[in-house]
Amino acid sequence: MASADLVIGIGNPLRGDDGIGALVAGQARSLAAGAHRGNLRVQVVQQLTPERVLDLQRADRVLFVDACCQAAAPCLQPLAVAQPGELALGLSHRLEPAQLLALTDLLSGRAPAATLLRLPVHVLDHGQGLSPMARRQLPQARWLLLQWMNGHA
Amino acid sequence: MTRTITIDPVTRIEGHARITLQLDGRGHLADARFQVLEVRGFEQFCVGRPFTEMAGLTSRICGICPVSHQLAAARAGDKLLAVQPPEAAQLLRRLLNLAQILQSHALSFFYLSSPDWLLGWSSDPARRNIFGLMAADPELARGGIGLRQFGQQVIERLGGRRIHQAWAVPGGVRTPLAPETRDWILAQLPQARATMARVLDGYKRLLDGPLRHEQRSFGSFASLFMALVGPDGCWETLDGALRLVDSRAQVVASALSADDYDRFLGEVLEDWSVLKFPYYRPLGYPKGLYRVGPLARLNVCTAIGTPWADAELADFRGRGGTPASGGRIVTAAFAYHQARLVEIVACLEGIEALLQDPRILDRRVRAHASLNALEAVGVGEAPRGTLFHHYRVDDNGLLTAVNLIIATGQNNLAMNRTVAQIARACLPWPLPASAAIPEALLNRVEAGIRCYDPCLSCSTHAAGAMPLHIELRDASGALLCETVRD
């Protein structure tokens, strides 16, 4: 039986390149529809909140797609569950992917295999649309997305 | 020598704020201030925009209660168009608002406040959060997460997205309700009801035990309370008129129209906070302190109007009602938490009733008209209290003036009073000149603010980091010690 896969695109499309996670996640939706991959669900969020635990509980694999100022090129990075020392937070409803995995693990005793697709960004000003530099990353991002969807990453 | 204690930033609230405790020369509390330091200027940069954009623009003030701004803006727009939205649109807006109140209360109760009493006032601050809650009581955490998700899913299914949607518009809403969406929501309700039954049972056990004292005395003081009520005085979240009651259960004013808010509400700006201080004008400033939000709504209404919520309202009043009011009015700020649970029940019953009304599926959901008025006030009950949007427009419908009166601002005087009351009750007065303030005591002061679930994004319309800062200052203003938590 195919694994239950989940893609979560993170970012704000009104803040320039920060919307790249949402855009790439949208491509995952198109690719899944074209390949009749009913086992793949796609969500787009501006930030990760604890309610996402209920989605992660039903997933075997999860791919977080997020903008990253430190990344030089698109890359896939395996994600581990956050350790207790990394769980302190003041706000309680804006989480990092590793923290969300830790919540899932705490609540259900298991967390899905997780990967982060980090996408380099350059312009985070107000406004829609990607910068030319971010747009140039899209083919590589799509290739990495396909690698993950096909189980090669 | 005098001292000042500062809590900066205040944690587990929606925004960045600081609490300053000012001591006199004998080491006693002279003043307490809840200081908000951000400003965003929404009222200014909306000027010049078409009023029709306001539902979409102001829903972006906040990621927690965007629906409240959207609805207040749409209702102000109704008046500028001088239209009555179709019946189905009115029902759908009401449904949207109930889902919003439900999800916001779940966030406040489960994610932000419950760690204080489930993990203990003196527990490690690093564990006093949703992670600590999950470890201590996974069933409660799961239930809270499920309730918040349910509220958000209702919002998403109605308006197409969970936050920052622009579904409610002047004249109605953009799309009718599909029967399958109605059926989906109805199918979720039994689980949500079961969760609430468990949560209420558990919370009442705490109120009967370790929280008995807090429920009656934590942040308790006489004040006015203001909320919308229906024609029969019942709990209301969108229509109706404003009513104020005092702590002796006397109706101070009733049948007030939001259109006239300027006659009975004044606003003062102090130089030490960017958050405005609204007050009840007939009593003057600061005597006209009043409270809004779940505690106020339950104090002001005669009944909720649905069976389970009315039973919970009776329990709420039975536990916290003051003798001076004949058991009718609850004055402790801590009771805001139970009030949120009662309102979640009211929302669940209200959602069910709305969805069982066949009129809600009507396809006509928007009335169209040209500009017919140049000034309007839209009002509604947001999760944190009454929300006013006041617009003036020119002949082309472009905004010339905007005033937003936000629930958190209306609770500003009360939050300052609460901090002072809790600090007096919990800290060891007089404070030795060099004494460090115990973390558990500081957390109680901070928790006094969290009772009101302040949303500083809304009240200052500000964005940014959301931490807590407490300062202790002497009479000359010199900083003696401080606690900062991110």
PDB file of all heavy atoms in Angstrom, chain B residues 418-450:
ATOM      1  N   THR B 418      -5.843  44.954  37.171  1.00  0.00           N
ATOM      2  CA  THR B 418      -5.630  43.540  37.503  1.00  0.00           C
ATOM      3  C   THR B 418      -4.189  43.291  37.924  1.00  0.00           C
ATOM      4  O   THR B 418      -3.926  42.590  38.912  1.00  0.00           O
ATOM      5  CB  THR B 418      -5.989  42.664  36.284  1.00  0.00           C
ATOM      6  OG1 THR B 418      -7.357  42.878  35.966  1.00  0.00           O
ATOM      7  CG2 THR B 418      -5.749  41.194  36.572  1.00  0.00           C
ATOM      8  N   VAL B 419      -3.251  43.851  37.159  1.00  0.00           N
ATOM      9  CA  VAL B 419      -1.838  43.659  37.499  1.00  0.00           C
ATOM     10  C   VAL B 419      -1.560  44.201  38.893  1.00  0.00           C
ATOM     11  O   VAL B 419      -0.899  43.552  39.718  1.00  0.00           O
ATOM     12  CB  VAL B 419      -0.938  44.360  36.455  1.00  0.00           C
ATOM     13  CG1 VAL B 419       0.503  44.419  36.939  1.00  0.00           C
ATOM     14  CG2 VAL B 419      -1.000  43.620  35.128  1.00  0.00           C
ATOM     15  N   ALA B 420      -2.079  45.384  39.199  1.00  0.00           N
ATOM     16  CA  ALA B 420      -1.849  45.984  40.521  1.00  0.00           C
ATOM     17  C   ALA B 420      -2.463  45.114  41.615  1.00  0.00           C
ATOM     18  O   ALA B 420      -1.834  44.852  42.649  1.00  0.00           O
ATOM     19  CB  ALA B 420      -2.441  47.382  40.550  1.00  0.00           C
ATOM     20  N   GLN B 421      -3.682  44.635  41.374  1.00  0.00           N
ATOM     21  CA  GLN B 421      -4.371  43.840  42.389  1.00  0.00           C
ATOM     22  C   GLN B 421      -3.615  42.542  42.655  1.00  0.00           C
ATOM     23  O   GLN B 421      -3.433  42.146  43.800  1.00  0.00           O
ATOM     24  CB  GLN B 421      -5.808  43.550  41.910  1.00  0.00           C
ATOM     25  CG  GLN B 421      -6.721  43.029  42.983  1.00  0.00           C
ATOM     26  CD  GLN B 421      -6.925  41.518  42.863  1.00  0.00           C
ATOM     27  OE1 GLN B 421      -6.148  40.825  42.215  1.00  0.00           O
ATOM     28  NE2 GLN B 421      -7.952  41.038  43.526  1.00  0.00           N
ATOM     29  N   ILE B 422      -3.168  41.881  41.595  1.00  0.00           N
ATOM     30  CA  ILE B 422      -2.466  40.600  41.764  1.00  0.00           C
ATOM     31  C   ILE B 422      -1.095  40.831  42.399  1.00  0.00           C
ATOM     32  O   ILE B 422      -0.659  40.074  43.264  1.00  0.00           O
ATOM     33  CB  ILE B 422      -2.356  39.872  40.408  1.00  0.00           C
ATOM     34  CG1 ILE B 422      -3.751  39.452  39.950  1.00  0.00           C
ATOM     35  CG2 ILE B 422      -1.441  38.667  40.516  1.00  0.00           C
ATOM     36  CD1 ILE B 422      -3.796  38.928  38.533  1.00  0.00           C
ATOM     37  N   ALA B 423      -0.426  41.882  41.964  1.00  0.00           N
ATOM     38  CA  ALA B 423       0.891  42.166  42.549  1.00  0.00           C
ATOM     39  C   ALA B 423       0.759  42.427  44.043  1.00  0.00           C
ATOM     40  O   ALA B 423       1.559  41.949  44.848  1.00  0.00           O
ATOM     41  CB  ALA B 423       1.516  43.364  41.840  1.00  0.00           C
ATOM     42  N   ARG B 424      -0.274  43.176  44.426  1.00  0.00           N
ATOM     43  CA  ARG B 424      -0.478  43.453  45.863  1.00  0.00           C
ATOM     44  C   ARG B 424      -0.755  42.157  46.620  1.00  0.00           C
ATOM     45  O   ARG B 424      -0.284  41.966  47.737  1.00  0.00           O
ATOM     46  CB  ARG B 424      -1.650  44.409  46.057  1.00  0.00           C
ATOM     47  CG  ARG B 424      -1.294  45.844  45.744  1.00  0.00           C
ATOM     48  CD  ARG B 424      -2.299  46.848  46.313  1.00  0.00           C
ATOM     49  NE  ARG B 424      -1.846  48.189  45.995  1.00  0.00           N
ATOM     50  CZ  ARG B 424      -2.212  48.861  44.890  1.00  0.00           C
ATOM     51  NH1 ARG B 424      -3.058  48.314  44.047  1.00  0.00           N
ATOM     52  NH2 ARG B 424      -1.720  50.061  44.651  1.00  0.00           N
ATOM     53  N   ALA B 425      -1.513  41.265  45.979  1.00  0.00           N
ATOM     54  CA  ALA B 425      -1.910  40.040  46.675  1.00  0.00           C
ATOM     55  C   ALA B 425      -0.802  38.994  46.695  1.00  0.00           C
ATOM     56  O   ALA B 425      -0.711  38.211  47.638  1.00  0.00           O
ATOM     57  CB  ALA B 425      -3.155  39.455  46.010  1.00  0.00           C
ATOM     58  N   CYS B 426       0.045  38.980  45.684  1.00  0.00           N
ATOM     59  CA  CYS B 426       0.968  37.845  45.530  1.00  0.00           C
ATOM     60  C   CYS B 426       2.419  38.149  45.892  1.00  0.00           C
ATOM     61  O   CYS B 426       3.169  37.225  46.192  1.00  0.00           O
ATOM     62  CB  CYS B 426       0.934  37.335  44.088  1.00  0.00           C
ATOM     63  SG  CYS B 426      -0.663  36.679  43.612  1.00  0.00           S
ATOM     64  N   LEU B 427       2.824  39.395  45.808  1.00  0.00           N
ATOM     65  CA  LEU B 427       4.229  39.687  46.082  1.00  0.00           C
ATOM     66  C   LEU B 427       4.412  40.003  47.573  1.00  0.00           C
ATOM     67  O   LEU B 427       3.482  40.482  48.227  1.00  0.00           O
ATOM     68  CB  LEU B 427       4.714  40.857  45.216  1.00  0.00           C
ATOM     69  CG  LEU B 427       4.769  40.565  43.711  1.00  0.00           C
ATOM     70  CD1 LEU B 427       5.139  41.821  42.931  1.00  0.00           C
ATOM     71  CD2 LEU B 427       5.749  39.470  43.382  1.00  0.00           C
ATOM     72  N   PRO B 428       5.582  39.750  48.112  1.00  0.00           N
ATOM     73  CA  PRO B 428       5.826  39.945  49.548  1.00  0.00           C
ATOM     74  C   PRO B 428       6.141  41.400  49.873  1.00  0.00           C
ATOM     75  O   PRO B 428       7.283  41.817  49.825  1.00  0.00           O
ATOM     76  CB  PRO B 428       7.050  39.045  49.797  1.00  0.00           C
ATOM     77  CG  PRO B 428       7.775  39.023  48.501  1.00  0.00           C
ATOM     78  CD  PRO B 428       6.755  39.174  47.422  1.00  0.00           C
ATOM     79  N   TRP B 429       5.085  42.165  50.209  1.00  0.00           N
ATOM     80  CA  TRP B 429       5.283  43.594  50.521  1.00  0.00           C
ATOM     81  C   TRP B 429       5.612  43.804  51.990  1.00  0.00           C
ATOM     82  O   TRP B 429       5.055  43.110  52.829  1.00  0.00           O
ATOM     83  CB  TRP B 429       4.041  44.397  50.139  1.00  0.00           C
ATOM     84  CG  TRP B 429       3.628  44.174  48.721  1.00  0.00           C
ATOM     85  CD1 TRP B 429       2.574  43.440  48.297  1.00  0.00           C
ATOM     86  CD2 TRP B 429       4.274  44.671  47.556  1.00  0.00           C
ATOM     87  NE1 TRP B 429       2.520  43.433  46.926  1.00  0.00           N
ATOM     88  CE2 TRP B 429       3.552  44.194  46.444  1.00  0.00           C
ATOM     89  CE3 TRP B 429       5.395  45.474  47.331  1.00  0.00           C
ATOM     90  CZ2 TRP B 429       3.918  44.486  45.138  1.00  0.00           C
ATOM     91  CZ3 TRP B 429       5.754  45.767  46.038  1.00  0.00           C
ATOM     92  CH2 TRP B 429       5.019  45.275  44.954  1.00  0.00           C
ATOM     93  N   PRO B 430       6.443  44.797  52.351  1.00  0.00           N
ATOM     94  CA  PRO B 430       7.241  45.599  51.430  1.00  0.00           C
ATOM     95  C   PRO B 430       8.388  44.788  50.855  1.00  0.00           C
ATOM     96  O   PRO B 430       8.932  43.916  51.529  1.00  0.00           O
ATOM     97  CB  PRO B 430       7.768  46.737  52.309  1.00  0.00           C
ATOM     98  CG  PRO B 430       7.833  46.132  53.669  1.00  0.00           C
ATOM     99  CD  PRO B 430       6.694  45.162  53.762  1.00  0.00           C
ATOM    100  N   LEU B 431       8.738  45.089  49.624  1.00  0.00           N
ATOM    101  CA  LEU B 431       9.819  44.354  48.979  1.00  0.00           C
ATOM    102  C   LEU B 431      11.163  44.854  49.496  1.00  0.00           C
ATOM    103  O   LEU B 431      11.401  46.055  49.508  1.00  0.00           O
ATOM    104  CB  LEU B 431       9.767  44.576  47.465  1.00  0.00           C
ATOM    105  CG  LEU B 431       8.727  43.789  46.686  1.00  0.00           C
ATOM    106  CD1 LEU B 431       8.783  44.187  45.228  1.00  0.00           C
ATOM    107  CD2 LEU B 431       8.938  42.301  46.811  1.00  0.00           C
ATOM    108  N   PRO B 432      12.018  43.940  49.930  1.00  0.00           N
ATOM    109  CA  PRO B 432      13.362  44.361  50.303  1.00  0.00           C
ATOM    110  C   PRO B 432      14.051  45.014  49.103  1.00  0.00           C
ATOM    111  O   PRO B 432      13.804  44.636  47.958  1.00  0.00           O
ATOM    112  CB  PRO B 432      14.054  43.045  50.672  1.00  0.00           C
ATOM    113  CG  PRO B 432      12.960  42.069  50.892  1.00  0.00           C
ATOM    114  CD  PRO B 432      11.802  42.501  50.055  1.00  0.00           C
ATOM    115  N   ALA B 433      14.889  45.983  49.358  1.00  0.00           N
ATOM    116  CA  ALA B 433      15.474  46.780  48.276  1.00  0.00           C
ATOM    117  C   ALA B 433      16.182  45.928  47.235  1.00  0.00           C
ATOM    118  O   ALA B 433      16.163  46.242  46.047  1.00  0.00           O
ATOM    119  CB  ALA B 433      16.427  47.809  48.857  1.00  0.00           C
ATOM    120  N   SER B 434      16.803  44.854  47.663  1.00  0.00           N
ATOM    121  CA  SER B 434      17.602  44.094  46.700  1.00  0.00           C
ATOM    122  C   SER B 434      17.002  42.724  46.401  1.00  0.00           C
ATOM    123  O   SER B 434      17.656  41.874  45.812  1.00  0.00           O
ATOM    124  CB  SER B 434      19.016  43.913  47.247  1.00  0.00           C
ATOM    125  OG  SER B 434      18.934  43.247  48.488  1.00  0.00           O
ATOM    126  N   ALA B 435      15.762  42.499  46.840  1.00  0.00           N
ATOM    127  CA  ALA B 435      15.198  41.154  46.703  1.00  0.00           C
ATOM    128  C   ALA B 435      14.917  40.799  45.246  1.00  0.00           C
ATOM    129  O   ALA B 435      14.416  41.625  44.490  1.00  0.00           O
ATOM    130  CB  ALA B 435      13.899  41.070  47.488  1.00  0.00           C
ATOM    131  N   ALA B 436      15.262  39.575  44.867  1.00  0.00           N
ATOM    132  CA  ALA B 436      14.862  39.070  43.556  1.00  0.00           C
ATOM    133  C   ALA B 436      13.406  38.621  43.681  1.00  0.00           C
ATOM    134  O   ALA B 436      12.988  38.118  44.732  1.00  0.00           O
ATOM    135  CB  ALA B 436      15.741  37.902  43.161  1.00  0.00           C
ATOM    136  N   ILE B 437      12.631  38.801  42.617  1.00  0.00           N
ATOM    137  CA  ILE B 437      11.224  38.444  42.658  1.00  0.00           C
ATOM    138  C   ILE B 437      11.085  36.989  42.234  1.00  0.00           C
ATOM    139  O   ILE B 437      11.534  36.616  41.155  1.00  0.00           O
ATOM    140  CB  ILE B 437      10.406  39.328  41.714  1.00  0.00           C
ATOM    141  CG1 ILE B 437      10.727  40.800  41.949  1.00  0.00           C
ATOM    142  CG2 ILE B 437       8.922  39.061  41.866  1.00  0.00           C
ATOM    143  CD1 ILE B 437      10.453  41.267  43.351  1.00  0.00           C
ATOM    144  N   PRO B 438      10.442  36.155  43.079  1.00  0.00           N
ATOM    145  CA  PRO B 438      10.311  34.742  42.700  1.00  0.00           C
ATOM    146  C   PRO B 438       9.553  34.587  41.375  1.00  0.00           C
ATOM    147  O   PRO B 438       8.558  35.282  41.142  1.00  0.00           O
ATOM    148  CB  PRO B 438       9.517  34.131  43.852  1.00  0.00           C
ATOM    149  CG  PRO B 438       9.680  35.082  44.987  1.00  0.00           C
ATOM    150  CD  PRO B 438       9.856  36.433  44.390  1.00  0.00           C
ATOM    151  N   GLU B 439      10.026  33.645  40.578  1.00  0.00           N
ATOM    152  CA  GLU B 439       9.447  33.407  39.253  1.00  0.00           C
ATOM    153  C   GLU B 439       7.944  33.107  39.346  1.00  0.00           C
ATOM    154  O   GLU B 439       7.142  33.604  38.550  1.00  0.00           O
ATOM    155  CB  GLU B 439      10.202  32.245  38.599  1.00  0.00           C
ATOM    156  CG  GLU B 439       9.485  31.504  37.504  1.00  0.00           C
ATOM    157  CD  GLU B 439       9.182  32.376  36.312  1.00  0.00           C
ATOM    158  OE1 GLU B 439       9.943  33.329  36.048  1.00  0.00           O
ATOM    159  OE2 GLU B 439       8.159  32.108  35.632  1.00  0.00           O
ATOM    160  N   ALA B 440       7.550  32.297  40.339  1.00  0.00           N
ATOM    161  CA  ALA B 440       6.139  31.919  40.433  1.00  0.00           C
ATOM    162  C   ALA B 440       5.257  33.142  40.658  1.00  0.00           C
ATOM    163  O   ALA B 440       4.136  33.224  40.148  1.00  0.00           O
ATOM    164  CB  ALA B 440       5.945  30.914  41.565  1.00  0.00           C
ATOM    165  N   LEU B 441       5.771  34.117  41.417  1.00  0.00           N
ATOM    166  CA  LEU B 441       4.980  35.310  41.677  1.00  0.00           C
ATOM    167  C   LEU B 441       4.894  36.179  40.430  1.00  0.00           C
ATOM    168  O   LEU B 441       3.845  36.745  40.116  1.00  0.00           O
ATOM    169  CB  LEU B 441       5.586  36.085  42.846  1.00  0.00           C
ATOM    170  CG  LEU B 441       5.571  35.338  44.181  1.00  0.00           C
ATOM    171  CD1 LEU B 441       6.132  36.205  45.293  1.00  0.00           C
ATOM    172  CD2 LEU B 441       4.154  34.910  44.528  1.00  0.00           C
ATOM    173  N   LEU B 442       6.027  36.281  39.732  1.00  0.00           N
ATOM    174  CA  LEU B 442       5.992  37.043  38.490  1.00  0.00           C
ATOM    175  C   LEU B 442       5.027  36.409  37.493  1.00  0.00           C
ATOM    176  O   LEU B 442       4.303  37.094  36.775  1.00  0.00           O
ATOM    177  CB  LEU B 442       7.399  37.118  37.879  1.00  0.00           C
ATOM    178  CG  LEU B 442       8.395  37.990  38.626  1.00  0.00           C
ATOM    179  CD1 LEU B 442       9.744  37.951  37.935  1.00  0.00           C
ATOM    180  CD2 LEU B 442       7.910  39.419  38.733  1.00  0.00           C
ATOM    181  N   ASN B 443       5.018  35.080  37.483  1.00  0.00           N
ATOM    182  CA  ASN B 443       4.132  34.399  36.541  1.00  0.00           C
ATOM    183  C   ASN B 443       2.670  34.672  36.873  1.00  0.00           C
ATOM    184  O   ASN B 443       1.833  34.784  35.985  1.00  0.00           O
ATOM    185  CB  ASN B 443       4.397  32.893  36.551  1.00  0.00           C
ATOM    186  CG  ASN B 443       3.604  32.185  35.476  1.00  0.00           C
ATOM    187  OD1 ASN B 443       3.476  32.686  34.359  1.00  0.00           O
ATOM    188  ND2 ASN B 443       3.043  31.037  35.808  1.00  0.00           N
ATOM    189  N   ARG B 444       2.357  34.830  38.142  1.00  0.00           N
ATOM    190  CA  ARG B 444       0.969  35.149  38.506  1.00  0.00           C
ATOM    191  C   ARG B 444       0.586  36.540  38.017  1.00  0.00           C
ATOM    192  O   ARG B 444      -0.531  36.760  37.557  1.00  0.00           O
ATOM    193  CB  ARG B 444       0.775  35.050  40.021  1.00  0.00           C
ATOM    194  CG  ARG B 444       0.643  33.616  40.475  1.00  0.00           C
ATOM    195  CD  ARG B 444       0.397  33.552  41.970  1.00  0.00           C
ATOM    196  NE  ARG B 444       0.242  32.170  42.380  1.00  0.00           N
ATOM    197  CZ  ARG B 444      -0.908  31.637  42.769  1.00  0.00           C
ATOM    198  NH1 ARG B 444      -1.987  32.361  42.796  1.00  0.00           N
ATOM    199  NH2 ARG B 444      -0.967  30.374  43.123  1.00  0.00           N
ATOM    200  N   VAL B 445       1.513  37.458  38.123  1.00  0.00           N
ATOM    201  CA  VAL B 445       1.243  38.809  37.626  1.00  0.00           C
ATOM    202  C   VAL B 445       0.995  38.748  36.112  1.00  0.00           C
ATOM    203  O   VAL B 445       0.034  39.321  35.587  1.00  0.00           O
ATOM    204  CB  VAL B 445       2.424  39.747  37.945  1.00  0.00           C
ATOM    205  CG1 VAL B 445       2.230  41.099  37.272  1.00  0.00           C
ATOM    206  CG2 VAL B 445       2.562  39.916  39.453  1.00  0.00           C
ATOM    207  N   GLU B 446       1.865  38.011  35.458  1.00  0.00           N
ATOM    208  CA  GLU B 446       1.744  37.844  34.015  1.00  0.00           C
ATOM    209  C   GLU B 446       0.427  37.156  33.647  1.00  0.00           C
ATOM    210  O   GLU B 446      -0.255  37.530  32.684  1.00  0.00           O
ATOM    211  CB  GLU B 446       2.925  36.967  33.569  1.00  0.00           C
ATOM    212  CG  GLU B 446       3.335  37.052  32.166  1.00  0.00           C
ATOM    213  CD  GLU B 446       4.468  36.072  31.915  1.00  0.00           C
ATOM    214  OE1 GLU B 446       5.157  35.626  32.845  1.00  0.00           O
ATOM    215  OE2 GLU B 446       4.645  35.750  30.751  1.00  0.00           O
ATOM    216  N   ALA B 447       0.061  36.166  34.464  1.00  0.00           N
ATOM    217  CA  ALA B 447      -1.164  35.421  34.189  1.00  0.00           C
ATOM    218  C   ALA B 447      -2.397  36.314  34.323  1.00  0.00           C
ATOM    219  O   ALA B 447      -3.432  36.048  33.710  1.00  0.00           O
ATOM    220  CB  ALA B 447      -1.279  34.230  35.144  1.00  0.00           C
ATOM    221  N   GLY B 448      -2.273  37.356  35.138  1.00  0.00           N
ATOM    222  CA  GLY B 448      -3.380  38.314  35.252  1.00  0.00           C
ATOM    223  C   GLY B 448      -3.675  38.959  33.913  1.00  0.00           C
ATOM    224  O   GLY B 448      -4.835  39.187  33.543  1.00  0.00           O
ATOM    225  N   ILE B 449      -2.630  39.248  33.173  1.00  0.00           N
ATOM    226  CA  ILE B 449      -2.808  39.814  31.834  1.00  0.00           C
ATOM    227  C   ILE B 449      -3.399  38.763  30.896  1.00  0.00           C
ATOM    228  O   ILE B 449      -4.285  39.040  30.097  1.00  0.00           O
ATOM    229  CB  ILE B 449      -1.450  40.313  31.286  1.00  0.00           C
ATOM    230  CG1 ILE B 449      -0.969  41.518  32.088  1.00  0.00           C
ATOM    231  CG2 ILE B 449      -1.551  40.662  29.802  1.00  0.00           C
ATOM    232  CD1 ILE B 449      -1.848  42.734  31.978  1.00  0.00           C
ATOM    233  N   ARG B 450      -2.902  37.526  31.023  1.00  0.00           N
ATOM    234  CA  ARG B 450      -3.369  36.480  30.099  1.00  0.00           C
ATOM    235  C   ARG B 450      -4.865  36.177  30.276  1.00  0.00           C
ATOM    236  O   ARG B 450      -5.502  35.668  29.356  1.00  0.00           O
ATOM    237  CB  ARG B 450      -2.538  35.208  30.275  1.00  0.00           C
ATOM    238  CG  ARG B 450      -1.198  35.262  29.554  1.00  0.00           C
ATOM    239  CD  ARG B 450      -0.601  33.878  29.388  1.00  0.00           C
ATOM    240  NE  ARG B 450      -0.184  33.322  30.656  1.00  0.00           N
ATOM    241  CZ  ARG B 450       1.029  33.470  31.192  1.00  0.00           C
ATOM    242  NH1 ARG B 450       1.948  34.156  30.553  1.00  0.00           N
ATOM    243  NH2 ARG B 450       1.326  32.924  32.351  1.00  0.00           N
TER     244      ARG B 450
END
